[in-house]
Coordinates of all heavy atoms in Angstrom, one line a residue:
M32 N -49.1 91.3 38.8 CA -49.8 91.3 37.5 C -50.8 90.1 37.5 O -50.4 89.0 38.0 CB -48.9 91.2 36.4 CG -48.3 92.5 36.0 SD -48.0 92.6 34.2 CE -46.5 91.6 34.1
K33 N -51.9 90.3 36.9 CA -52.8 89.2 36.8 C -52.5 88.3 35.6 O -51.7 88.8 34.7 CB -54.2 89.8 36.5 CG -54.8 90.4 37.8 CD -56.3 90.7 37.5 CE -56.9 91.6 38.7 NZ -57.3 92.9 38.2
K34 N -53.0 87.1 35.6 CA -52.7 86.2 34.5 C -53.1 86.8 33.1 O -52.5 86.7 32.1 CB -53.4 84.9 34.7 CG -52.8 83.7 33.9 CD -53.5 82.4 34.2 CE -53.3 81.4 33.2 NZ -54.2 80.3 33.3
K35 N -54.3 87.5 33.1 CA -54.8 88.1 31.9 C -53.8 89.1 31.3 O -53.6 89.1 30.1 CB -56.1 88.7 32.3 CG -57.2 88.5 31.2 CD -58.6 88.9 31.8 CE -58.8 90.3 31.5 NZ -60.1 90.8 32.0
D36 N -53.2 89.9 32.2 CA -52.2 90.9 31.8 C -51.0 90.2 31.1 O -50.5 90.7 30.1 CB -51.8 91.7 33.0 CG -53.0 92.5 33.5 OD1 -53.9 92.8 32.8 OD2 -53.0 92.8 34.8
L37 N -50.6 89.1 31.7 CA -49.4 88.4 31.2 C -49.7 87.9 29.8 O -48.9 88.0 28.9 CB -49.0 87.2 32.1 CG -48.2 87.6 33.3 CD1 -48.0 86.4 34.2 CD2 -46.9 88.2 32.9
I38 N -50.9 87.4 29.6 CA -51.2 86.8 28.3 C -51.3 88.0 27.3 O -50.8 87.9 26.2 CB -52.6 86.1 28.3 CG1 -52.5 84.9 29.2 CG2 -53.1 85.8 26.9 CD1 -53.8 84.2 29.4
F39 N -51.8 89.1 27.7 CA -51.8 90.3 26.8 C -50.4 90.7 26.5 O -50.1 91.0 25.3 CB -52.5 91.4 27.5 CG -52.6 92.7 26.7 CD1 -53.4 92.8 25.6 CD2 -51.8 93.8 27.0 CE1 -53.4 93.9 24.8 CE2 -51.8 94.9 26.2 CZ -52.6 95.0 25.1
V40 N -49.5 90.8 27.4 CA -48.1 91.2 27.2 C -47.5 90.2 26.2 O -46.8 90.5 25.2 CB -47.3 91.2 28.5 CG1 -45.8 91.4 28.2 CG2 -47.8 92.4 29.3
A41 N -47.7 88.9 26.4 CA -47.1 87.8 25.6 C -47.6 88.0 24.1 O -46.9 87.9 23.2 CB -47.5 86.5 26.1
L42 N -48.9 88.4 24.0 CA -49.5 88.6 22.7 C -48.8 89.7 22.0 O -48.5 89.6 20.8 CB -51.0 88.8 22.9 CG -51.9 88.4 21.7 CD1 -51.9 86.9 21.7 CD2 -53.3 89.0 21.9
V43 N -48.6 90.8 22.7 CA -48.0 92.0 22.1 C -46.6 91.6 21.6 O -46.1 92.0 20.5 CB -47.9 93.1 23.1 CG1 -47.0 94.3 22.6 CG2 -49.3 93.6 23.4
V44 N -45.8 90.9 22.5 CA -44.5 90.5 22.1 C -44.5 89.7 20.8 O -43.7 89.9 19.9 CB -43.8 89.7 23.2 CG1 -42.5 89.0 22.8 CG2 -43.6 90.6 24.4
V45 N -45.4 88.7 20.7 CA -45.5 87.9 19.5 C -45.8 88.7 18.3 O -45.1 88.6 17.2 CB -46.6 86.8 19.7 CG1 -46.9 86.1 18.4 CG2 -46.1 85.8 20.7
V46 N -46.7 89.6 18.4 CA -47.1 90.5 17.3 C -45.9 91.3 16.8 O -45.6 91.4 15.6 CB -48.3 91.4 17.7 CG1 -48.5 92.5 16.6 CG2 -49.6 90.6 17.8
L47 N -45.2 91.9 17.8 CA -44.0 92.7 17.4 C -42.9 91.8 16.8 O -42.3 92.2 15.8 CB -43.4 93.3 18.7 CG -44.2 94.5 19.2 CD1 -43.5 95.1 20.5 CD2 -44.2 95.6 18.2
A48 N -42.7 90.6 17.3 CA -41.7 89.7 16.7 C -42.1 89.4 15.2 O -41.2 89.5 14.4 CB -41.6 88.4 17.5
V49 N -43.3 89.1 15.0 CA -43.8 88.8 13.6 C -43.6 90.0 12.7 O -43.0 89.9 11.6 CB -45.2 88.4 13.6 CG1 -45.8 88.3 12.2 CG2 -45.4 87.0 14.2
F50 N -43.9 91.2 13.3 CA -43.8 92.4 12.5 C -42.3 92.7 12.1 O -42.0 93.0 11.0 CB -44.2 93.6 13.4 CG -44.2 94.9 12.7 CD1 -45.1 95.3 11.8 CD2 -43.2 95.8 13.0 CE1 -45.1 96.5 11.1 CE2 -43.1 97.0 12.3 CZ -44.0 97.4 11.4
F51 N -41.4 92.4 13.0 CA -40.0 92.7 12.7 C -39.5 91.6 11.7 O -38.6 91.9 10.8 CB -39.1 92.6 14.0 CG -39.2 93.9 14.7 CD1 -39.7 94.0 16.0 CD2 -38.7 95.1 14.1 CE1 -39.7 95.2 16.7 CE2 -38.8 96.3 14.8 CZ -39.3 96.4 16.1
A52 N -39.9 90.4 11.9 CA -39.5 89.3 11.0 C -39.9 89.7 9.5 O -39.2 89.5 8.6 CB -40.2 88.0 11.4
I53 N -41.1 90.2 9.4 CA -41.6 90.6 8.0 C -40.9 91.8 7.5 O -40.4 91.7 6.3 CB -43.1 90.9 8.1 CG1 -43.9 89.6 8.4 CG2 -43.6 91.4 6.7 CD1 -45.4 89.8 8.7
S54 N -40.7 92.8 8.3 CA -40.1 94.0 7.8 C -38.6 93.7 7.4 O -38.0 94.4 6.6 CB -40.2 95.1 8.8 OG -39.5 94.8 10.0
G55 N -38.0 92.7 8.1 CA -36.6 92.4 7.8 C -36.5 91.8 6.4 O -35.5 92.0 5.7
K56 N -37.5 91.1 6.0 CA -37.5 90.4 4.7 C -37.8 91.4 3.6 O -37.5 91.2 2.4 CB -38.5 89.3 4.6 CG -37.9 88.0 5.2 CD -38.9 86.9 4.9 CE -38.7 85.7 5.8 NZ -39.9 85.4 6.7
E57 N -38.4 92.5 3.9 CA -38.8 93.5 2.9 C -37.6 94.2 2.4 O -37.1 95.2 3.0 CB -39.8 94.5 3.6 CG -40.2 95.6 2.7 CD -41.3 95.2 1.7 OE1 -42.4 94.9 2.1 OE2 -40.9 95.2 0.5
K58 N -37.0 93.7 1.3 CA -35.8 94.4 0.8 C -35.9 94.8 -0.6 O -34.9 95.0 -1.3 CB -34.6 93.4 1.0 CG -34.8 92.0 0.4 CD -33.5 91.2 0.7 CE -33.6 89.9 0.1 NZ -34.0 88.8 1.0
T59 N -37.1 95.0 -1.1 CA -37.3 95.5 -2.4 C -36.8 96.9 -2.5 O -37.0 97.7 -1.5 CB -38.8 95.6 -2.8 OG1 -39.4 94.3 -2.6 CG2 -39.0 96.0 -4.2
S60 N -36.0 97.2 -3.5 CA -35.3 98.5 -3.5 C -36.3 99.7 -3.5 O -37.4 99.6 -4.1 CB -34.5 98.6 -4.8 OG -35.2 98.3 -5.9
T61 N -36.0 100.7 -2.8 CA -36.8 101.9 -2.8 C -36.5 102.7 -4.0 O -35.5 102.5 -4.7 CB -36.5 102.8 -1.5 OG1 -35.1 103.0 -1.5 CG2 -37.0 102.1 -0.3
V62 N -37.4 103.6 -4.4 CA -37.2 104.5 -5.5 C -36.1 105.4 -5.1 O -36.1 106.0 -4.1 CB -38.5 105.3 -5.9 CG1 -38.2 106.2 -7.1 CG2 -39.6 104.3 -6.1
P63 N -35.0 105.5 -6.0 CA -33.9 106.3 -5.6 C -34.3 107.8 -5.6 O -35.1 108.3 -6.4 CB -32.8 106.1 -6.7 CG -33.6 105.4 -7.8 CD -34.8 104.8 -7.2
Y64 N -33.8 108.5 -4.6 CA -34.1 109.9 -4.5 C -33.0 110.7 -5.2 O -32.1 111.3 -4.7 CB -34.1 110.4 -3.0 CG -34.7 111.7 -2.8 CD1 -36.0 112.0 -3.1 CD2 -33.9 112.7 -2.2 CE1 -36.5 113.3 -2.9 CE2 -34.4 114.0 -2.0 CZ -35.7 114.3 -2.4 OH -36.3 115.5 -2.2
D65 N -33.1 110.7 -6.6 CA -32.1 111.4 -7.4 C -32.8 112.3 -8.4 O -34.1 112.4 -8.3 CB -31.3 110.3 -8.2 CG -32.1 109.4 -9.0 OD1 -33.3 109.6 -9.2 OD2 -31.6 108.3 -9.4
E66 N -32.1 112.9 -9.3 CA -32.7 113.9 -10.2 C -33.8 113.3 -11.0 O -34.8 114.0 -11.3 CB -31.6 114.4 -11.1 CG -30.9 115.6 -10.6 CD -29.7 116.0 -11.5 OE1 -29.8 115.9 -12.7 OE2 -28.6 116.4 -10.9
T67 N -33.6 112.0 -11.4 CA -34.6 111.4 -12.3 C -35.9 111.1 -11.5 O -37.0 111.3 -12.1 CB -34.1 110.0 -12.8 OG1 -32.7 110.1 -13.1 CG2 -34.9 109.5 -14.0
H68 N -35.8 110.8 -10.3 CA -37.0 110.3 -9.6 C -37.6 111.3 -8.5 O -38.7 111.1 -8.1 CB -36.7 109.0 -8.8 CG -36.3 107.9 -9.7 ND1 -35.0 107.7 -10.1 CD2 -37.0 106.9 -10.4 CE1 -34.9 106.7 -11.0 NE2 -36.1 106.2 -11.1
Q69 N -36.8 112.3 -8.3 CA -37.2 113.3 -7.2 C -38.7 113.8 -7.4 O -39.4 113.8 -6.4 CB -36.3 114.5 -7.2 CG -35.7 114.8 -5.9 CD -34.5 115.7 -6.0 OE1 -34.2 116.2 -7.1 NE2 -33.8 116.0 -4.9
R70 N -39.0 114.1 -8.6 CA -40.3 114.7 -8.8 C -41.5 113.8 -8.5 O -42.5 114.2 -8.1 CB -40.5 115.2 -10.3 CG -40.3 114.2 -11.3 CD -40.2 114.8 -12.7 NE -40.1 113.8 -13.7 CZ -41.0 113.5 -14.7 NH1 -42.1 114.1 -14.7 NH2 -40.8 112.6 -15.6
F71 N -41.2 112.5 -8.6 CA -42.3 111.5 -8.3 C -42.6 111.5 -6.8 O -43.7 111.1 -6.4 CB -41.9 110.1 -8.8 CG -41.6 110.1 -10.3 CD1 -40.4 109.7 -10.7 CD2 -42.5 110.6 -11.2 CE1 -40.1 109.8 -12.1 CE2 -42.3 110.6 -12.5 CZ -41.0 110.2 -13.0
F72 N -41.6 111.8 -6.0 CA -41.8 111.8 -4.5 C -43.0 112.8 -4.2 O -43.8 112.5 -3.4 CB -40.6 112.2 -3.8 CG -39.6 111.0 -3.7 CD1 -39.0 110.5 -4.8 CD2 -39.2 110.5 -2.5 CE1 -38.1 109.5 -4.8 CE2 -38.3 109.5 -2.4 CZ -37.8 108.9 -3.6
D73 N -42.9 114.0 -4.8 CA -43.9 115.0 -4.6 C -45.2 114.6 -5.2 O -46.3 114.8 -4.6 CB -43.4 116.4 -5.1 CG -42.3 116.9 -4.3 OD1 -42.2 116.6 -3.0 OD2 -41.4 117.5 -4.8
I74 N -45.2 114.1 -6.4 CA -46.4 113.7 -7.0 C -47.1 112.6 -6.2 O -48.3 112.7 -6.0 CB -46.2 113.1 -8.5 CG1 -45.6 114.2 -9.4 CG2 -47.5 112.6 -9.1 CD1 -45.2 113.8 -10.7
A75 N -46.4 111.6 -5.7 CA -46.9 110.5 -4.9 C -47.5 111.1 -3.7 O -48.6 110.6 -3.2 CB -45.9 109.5 -4.6
K76 N -46.9 112.1 -3.1 CA -47.3 112.6 -1.8 C -48.6 113.5 -2.0 O -49.5 113.4 -1.3 CB -46.2 113.5 -1.2 CG -46.4 113.7 0.3 CD -45.1 114.3 0.9 CE -45.4 115.1 2.1 NZ -44.7 116.4 2.1
N77 N -48.6 114.3 -3.1 CA -49.7 115.3 -3.3 C -50.8 114.7 -4.1 O -52.0 115.1 -3.8 CB -49.1 116.5 -4.0 CG -48.0 117.2 -3.1 OD1 -48.1 117.2 -1.9 ND2 -47.1 117.8 -3.8
E78 N -50.5 113.9 -5.1 CA -51.6 113.5 -6.0 C -51.9 112.0 -5.8 O -52.8 111.5 -6.5 CB -51.3 113.8 -7.4 CG -51.2 115.3 -7.7 CD -50.5 115.6 -9.0 OE1 -50.9 115.0 -10.0 OE2 -49.6 116.5 -9.0
G79 N -51.1 111.3 -5.1 CA -51.3 109.9 -4.9 C -50.3 109.0 -5.7 O -49.7 109.5 -6.7
K80 N -50.1 107.8 -5.3 CA -49.2 106.9 -5.9 C -49.5 106.6 -7.3 O -48.7 106.5 -8.2 CB -49.1 105.6 -5.1 CG -48.4 105.8 -3.7 CD -48.4 104.5 -3.0 CE -47.6 104.7 -1.7 NZ -47.6 103.5 -0.9
K81 N -50.9 106.4 -7.6 CA -51.3 106.1 -8.9 C -50.9 107.2 -9.9 O -50.5 106.8 -11.1 CB -52.8 105.9 -9.0 CG -53.2 104.4 -8.7 CD -54.7 104.2 -9.0 CE -55.0 102.8 -8.8 NZ -56.5 102.6 -8.5
A82 N -51.0 108.4 -9.5 CA -50.6 109.5 -10.4 C -49.1 109.5 -10.8 O -48.7 109.7 -11.9 CB -51.0 110.8 -9.8
A83 N -48.3 109.1 -9.8 CA -46.9 109.1 -10.0 C -46.5 107.9 -10.9 O -45.6 108.0 -11.7 CB -46.1 109.0 -8.7
E84 N -47.2 106.7 -10.7 CA -46.8 105.5 -11.4 C -47.0 105.6 -12.9 O -46.4 104.9 -13.6 CB -47.7 104.4 -10.9 CG -47.2 103.8 -9.5 CD -48.3 103.0 -8.8 OE1 -49.4 103.0 -9.3 OE2 -48.0 102.4 -7.8
K85 N -47.8 106.5 -13.3 CA -48.1 106.7 -14.7 C -46.8 107.0 -15.5 O -46.7 106.6 -16.7 CB -49.1 107.8 -15.0 CG -50.5 107.3 -14.9 CD -51.5 108.4 -15.3 CE -51.7 109.4 -14.2 NZ -52.8 110.3 -14.4
F86 N -45.8 107.6 -14.8 CA -44.6 108.0 -15.5 C -43.5 106.9 -15.5 O -42.6 107.0 -16.4 CB -44.1 109.3 -14.9 CG -45.0 110.4 -14.8 CD1 -45.8 110.7 -13.7 CD2 -45.2 111.2 -16.0 CE1 -46.7 111.7 -13.7 CE2 -46.1 112.2 -16.0 CZ -46.9 112.5 -14.9
C87 N -43.6 106.0 -14.6 CA -42.5 105.0 -14.5 C -42.2 104.3 -15.8 O -41.1 104.1 -16.2 CB -42.9 103.9 -13.5 SG -43.4 104.6 -11.9
G88 N -43.3 104.0 -16.6 CA -43.2 103.2 -17.8 C -42.5 104.0 -18.9 O -42.0 103.4 -19.9
E89 N -42.3 105.3 -18.8 CA -41.6 106.1 -19.8 C -40.2 105.5 -19.9 O -39.6 105.6 -21.0 CB -41.6 107.5 -19.4 CG -42.9 108.2 -19.6 CD -42.8 109.7 -19.1 OE1 -41.7 110.2 -18.9 OE2 -43.9 110.3 -19.0
C90 N -39.6 105.1 -18.8 CA -38.2 104.7 -18.9 C -38.1 103.2 -18.5 O -37.2 102.5 -19.1 CB -37.4 105.4 -17.8 SG -37.5 107.2 -18.1
H91 N -38.9 102.7 -17.6 CA -38.7 101.3 -17.2 C -39.6 100.5 -18.0 O -40.8 100.4 -17.8 CB -39.1 101.2 -15.7 CG -38.1 101.9 -14.8 ND1 -36.8 101.5 -14.6 CD2 -38.2 103.1 -14.1 CE1 -36.2 102.3 -13.7 NE2 -37.1 103.3 -13.5
T92 N -39.1 99.8 -19.0 CA -39.9 98.9 -19.8 C -39.4 97.5 -19.8 O -40.2 96.6 -20.0 CB -39.8 99.4 -21.3 OG1 -38.4 99.6 -21.6 CG2 -40.6 100.7 -21.5
E93 N -38.2 97.3 -19.4 CA -37.7 95.9 -19.4 C -37.4 95.5 -17.9 O -36.7 96.3 -17.2 CB -36.4 95.8 -20.2 CG -36.7 95.7 -21.7 CD -35.5 95.6 -22.6 OE1 -34.5 95.0 -22.1 OE2 -35.5 96.2 -23.7
F94 N -37.8 94.4 -17.6 CA -37.6 93.9 -16.2 C -37.0 92.5 -16.2 O -37.1 91.8 -17.2 CB -38.9 93.9 -15.4 CG -39.6 95.2 -15.3 CD1 -40.5 95.6 -16.2 CD2 -39.2 96.1 -14.3 CE1 -41.1 96.8 -16.1 CE2 -39.8 97.3 -14.2 CZ -40.7 97.7 -15.1
S95 N -36.3 92.2 -15.2 CA -35.6 90.9 -15.1 C -36.7 89.8 -15.0 O -37.8 90.1 -14.7 CB -34.7 90.8 -13.9 OG -35.4 90.8 -12.7
D96 N -36.3 88.6 -15.2 CA -37.2 87.4 -15.2 C -37.8 87.3 -13.8 O -38.9 86.8 -13.6 CB -36.5 86.1 -15.6 CG -36.2 86.1 -17.1 OD1 -36.8 86.9 -17.8 OD2 -35.3 85.3 -17.5
E97 N -37.0 87.7 -12.8 CA -37.5 87.5 -11.4 C -38.5 88.6 -11.0 O -39.1 88.6 -10.0 CB -36.3 87.6 -10.4 CG -35.3 86.5 -10.5 CD -34.1 87.0 -11.2 OE1 -33.3 87.7 -10.6 OE2 -34.0 86.7 -12.4
H98 N -38.6 89.6 -11.9 CA -39.5 90.7 -11.5 C -40.9 90.4 -11.5 O -41.4 89.8 -12.5 CB -39.2 91.9 -12.4 CG -39.7 93.2 -11.8 ND1 -41.0 93.6 -12.0 CD2 -39.1 94.1 -11.0 CE1 -41.2 94.8 -11.3 NE2 -40.0 95.1 -10.7
P99 N -41.7 90.7 -10.4 CA -43.1 90.5 -10.4 C -43.8 91.3 -11.5 O -43.2 92.2 -12.0 CB -43.6 90.9 -9.0 CG -42.3 91.2 -8.2 CD -41.2 91.4 -9.2
P100 N -45.1 91.0 -11.8 CA -45.8 91.8 -12.8 C -45.6 93.3 -12.5 O -46.0 93.7 -11.4 CB -47.2 91.3 -12.7 CG -47.1 90.0 -12.1 CD -45.9 89.9 -11.3
P101 N -45.1 94.1 -13.5 CA -44.8 95.5 -13.2 C -46.0 96.4 -13.2 O -46.1 97.3 -14.1 CB -43.8 95.8 -14.2 CG -44.1 94.9 -15.4 CD -44.7 93.7 -14.8
F102 N -46.9 96.2 -12.3 CA -48.0 97.2 -12.1 C -47.9 97.7 -10.7 O -47.3 97.1 -9.9 CB -49.4 96.5 -12.3 CG -49.5 95.7 -13.6 CD1 -49.5 94.3 -13.6 CD2 -49.6 96.4 -14.8 CE1 -49.6 93.6 -14.7 CE2 -49.7 95.7 -16.0 CZ -49.7 94.3 -16.0
R103 N -48.5 98.9 -10.5 CA -48.5 99.5 -9.2 C -47.1 99.5 -8.6 O -46.8 99.0 -7.5 CB -49.4 98.7 -8.2 CG -50.9 98.7 -8.7 CD -51.6 100.0 -8.9 NE -51.1 101.1 -8.1 CZ -51.7 101.5 -6.9 NH1 -52.7 100.8 -6.5 NH2 -51.2 102.5 -6.2
C104 N -46.2 100.1 -9.3 CA -44.7 100.1 -8.9 C -44.5 100.5 -7.5 O -43.8 99.9 -6.7 CB -44.0 101.1 -9.8 SG -44.4 101.1 -11.5
L105 N -45.3 101.6 -7.1 CA -45.0 102.2 -5.8 C -45.6 101.4 -4.6 O -45.4 101.7 -3.5 CB -45.5 103.6 -5.7 CG -44.8 104.5 -6.7 CD1 -45.4 105.9 -6.6 CD2 -43.3 104.6 -6.5
F106 N -46.3 100.3 -5.0 CA -46.8 99.4 -4.0 C -45.7 98.6 -3.4 O -45.6 98.3 -2.2 CB -47.8 98.5 -4.6 CG -48.8 97.9 -3.7 CD1 -49.9 98.8 -3.3 CD2 -48.8 96.7 -3.2 CE1 -50.9 98.3 -2.4 CE2 -49.7 96.2 -2.3 CZ -50.8 97.0 -1.9
C107 N -44.7 98.4 -4.2 CA -43.5 97.6 -3.7 C -42.3 98.5 -3.6 O -41.6 98.4 -2.6 CB -43.2 96.5 -4.7 SG -44.5 95.3 -5.0
H108 N -42.0 99.4 -4.5 CA -40.9 100.3 -4.5 C -41.3 101.5 -3.8 O -42.0 102.4 -4.4 CB -40.4 100.6 -5.9 CG -39.9 99.3 -6.6 ND1 -38.7 98.7 -6.3 CD2 -40.5 98.6 -7.6 CE1 -38.6 97.7 -7.1 NE2 -39.7 97.6 -7.9
K109 N -41.0 101.6 -2.5 CA -41.4 102.8 -1.7 C -40.7 104.1 -2.0 O -39.5 104.0 -2.4 CB -41.2 102.5 -0.2 CG -41.9 101.2 0.3 CD -43.4 101.3 0.3 CE -44.0 100.0 0.8 NZ -45.4 99.9 0.5
T110 N -41.4 105.2 -2.0 CA -40.7 106.5 -2.1 C -40.4 106.9 -0.7 O -41.3 107.3 0.1 CB -41.6 107.5 -2.8 OG1 -42.9 107.4 -2.2 CG2 -41.8 107.2 -4.2
K111 N -39.2 106.8 -0.3 CA -38.7 107.2 1.0 C -37.6 108.1 0.9 O -36.5 107.8 0.4 CB -38.3 105.9 1.8 CG -38.6 106.1 3.3 CD -38.6 104.7 4.0 CE -37.4 103.9 3.8 NZ -37.4 102.6 4.4
K112 N -37.8 109.4 1.4 CA -36.7 110.3 1.3 C -35.6 110.0 2.3 O -36.0 109.6 3.5 CB -37.3 111.7 1.6 CG -38.1 112.3 0.5 CD -38.4 113.8 0.7 CE -39.4 114.2 -0.3 NZ -39.7 115.6 -0.2
P113 N -34.4 110.1 1.9 CA -33.3 109.7 2.8 C -33.1 110.7 3.9 O -33.5 111.8 3.8 CB -32.1 109.6 1.9 CG -32.4 110.4 0.7 CD -33.9 110.4 0.6
Ligands
HEC7 C1 -36.8 109.6 -16.8 C2 -36.6 108.2 -16.7 C3 -37.2 107.4 -15.5 C4 -38.4 107.5 -15.0 C5 -39.6 108.3 -15.5 C6 -38.4 106.6 -13.8 N1 -37.2 106.0 -13.7 FE1 -36.6 104.7 -12.3 N2 -34.7 104.7 -13.0 C7 -34.3 105.4 -14.1 C8 -32.9 105.1 -14.3 C9 -32.0 105.7 -15.4 C10 -32.5 104.3 -13.2 C11 -31.1 103.7 -12.9 C12 -30.2 104.8 -12.3 C13 -30.7 105.3 -11.0 O1 -30.6 104.5 -10.0 O2 -31.2 106.4 -11.0 C14 -33.6 104.0 -12.4 C15 -33.7 103.2 -11.3 C16 -34.8 102.8 -10.6 C17 -34.9 101.8 -9.5 C18 -33.7 101.0 -9.1 C19 -33.0 101.6 -7.9 C20 -32.0 100.6 -7.4 O3 -31.8 100.5 -6.2 O4 -31.3 100.0 -8.3 C21 -36.2 101.8 -9.1 C22 -36.7 100.9 -8.0 C23 -36.9 102.7 -9.9 N3 -36.1 103.3 -10.8 C24 -38.3 102.9 -9.8 C25 -39.0 103.8 -10.6 C26 -40.4 104.1 -10.3 C27 -41.3 103.4 -9.3 C28 -40.7 105.1 -11.2 C29 -42.1 105.8 -11.3 C30 -42.6 106.5 -10.1 C31 -39.6 105.4 -12.0 N4 -38.5 104.7 -11.6 C32 -39.5 106.4 -13.0 C33 -35.0 106.2 -14.9 C34 -36.4 106.5 -14.7
HEC8 C1 -45.0 93.1 -6.5 C2 -43.9 93.9 -6.2 C3 -43.3 94.8 -7.3 C4 -44.0 95.6 -8.2 C5 -45.5 95.9 -8.3 C6 -42.9 96.3 -9.0 N1 -41.7 95.8 -8.6 FE1 -39.9 96.4 -9.3 N2 -38.9 95.0 -8.2 C7 -39.6 94.2 -7.3 C8 -38.6 93.2 -6.8 C9 -38.9 92.1 -5.7 C10 -37.4 93.5 -7.4 C11 -36.0 92.8 -7.3 C12 -35.9 91.6 -8.2 C13 -35.5 92.0 -9.5 O1 -34.4 92.7 -9.6 O2 -36.1 91.6 -10.5 C14 -37.6 94.6 -8.3 C15 -36.7 95.3 -9.1 C16 -36.9 96.4 -9.8 C17 -35.9 97.2 -10.6 C18 -34.4 96.8 -10.7 C19 -33.6 97.5 -9.6 C20 -33.1 96.6 -8.6 O3 -32.9 97.0 -7.5 O4 -32.8 95.4 -9.0 C21 -36.5 98.2 -11.1 C22 -35.9 99.3 -12.0 C23 -37.9 98.1 -10.8 N3 -38.1 97.0 -10.0 C24 -38.9 99.0 -11.3 C25 -40.2 98.8 -11.2 C26 -41.2 99.6 -11.8 C27 -40.9 100.8 -12.7 C28 -42.4 99.1 -11.5 C29 -43.8 99.5 -12.1 C30 -44.0 99.5 -13.5 C31 -42.2 98.0 -10.6 N4 -40.9 97.8 -10.4 C32 -43.2 97.2 -10.0 C33 -40.9 94.2 -6.9 C34 -41.9 94.9 -7.6

């Protein structure tokens, strides 16, 4: 292997390491896939996250002090089917 290739491989390793470090910290709860939330999974998929987020406020009005400003819910709380 040439030196250039080694540097490239090293770079890829570093990028991957950073990627895993960040994803490990990402522990914001996902939207639960239950009766209450199921329909939003399809809305988010078909009409976009913004369309689905309009409904969150119907029920979620109070947040803990640690909670970031509650806009764009699905930006942080991912809809991930189990
Ligand atoms: C019809 C009422 C209702 C709507 C609308 C609603 N939720 Fe919920 N949500 C609940 C209830 C009740 C709980 C707690 C029980 C549960 O986990 O299902 C909850 C729990 C959660 C949780 C916490 C899960 C956990 O791990 O503790 C998240 C995150 C969440 N909702 C996000 C959302 C988002 C994002 C939306 C909009 C797309 C939304 N909810 C819309 C009623 C609702
Ligand atoms: C900037 C990222 C961010 C946004 C935007 C956001 N949240 Fe959260 N949410 C968090 C974090 C981090 C926590 C965990 C800390 C806490 O419990 O306050 C959390 C916790 C929650 C919880 C409590 C469940 C649990 O696991 O503790 C609910 C319910 C919730 N969020 C709903 C919403 C809704 C509904 C919206 C939109 C109106 C929203 N969030 C927007 C980051 C976010």
Side-chain angles (χ1 to χ4, degrees):
M32 277 213 286
K33 289 192 191 116
K34 198 178 164 197
K35 225 167 85 183
D36 297 330
L37 279 174
I38 291 173
F39 178 72
V40 170
L42 208 71
V43 170
V44 169
V45 169
V46 168
L47 282 179
V49 170
F50 181 77
F51 280 119
I53 293 172
S54 62
K56 274 191 203 117
E57 178 75 70
K58 51 178 183 267
T59 307
S60 51
T61 52
V62 181
Y64 191 63
D65 54 16
E66 272 173 38
T67 321
H68 300 86
Q69 233 165 3
R70 61 190 177 112
F71 304 121
F72 283 63
D73 291 325
I74 297 176
K76 199 168 152 228
N77 299 328
E78 295 165 49
K80 291 179 176 177
K81 269 191 178 158
E84 281 162 351
K85 273 187 279 190
F86 302 99
C87 311
E89 285 177 16
C90 304
H91 296 285
T92 48
E93 284 181 32
F94 299 96
S95 69
D96 290 340
E97 297 101 77
H98 197 274
F102 308 107
R103 301 303 328 268
C104 319
L105 298 179
F106 207 76
C107 299
H108 300 283
K109 305 289 183 200
T110 48
K111 210 161 58 182
K112 286 189 189 183

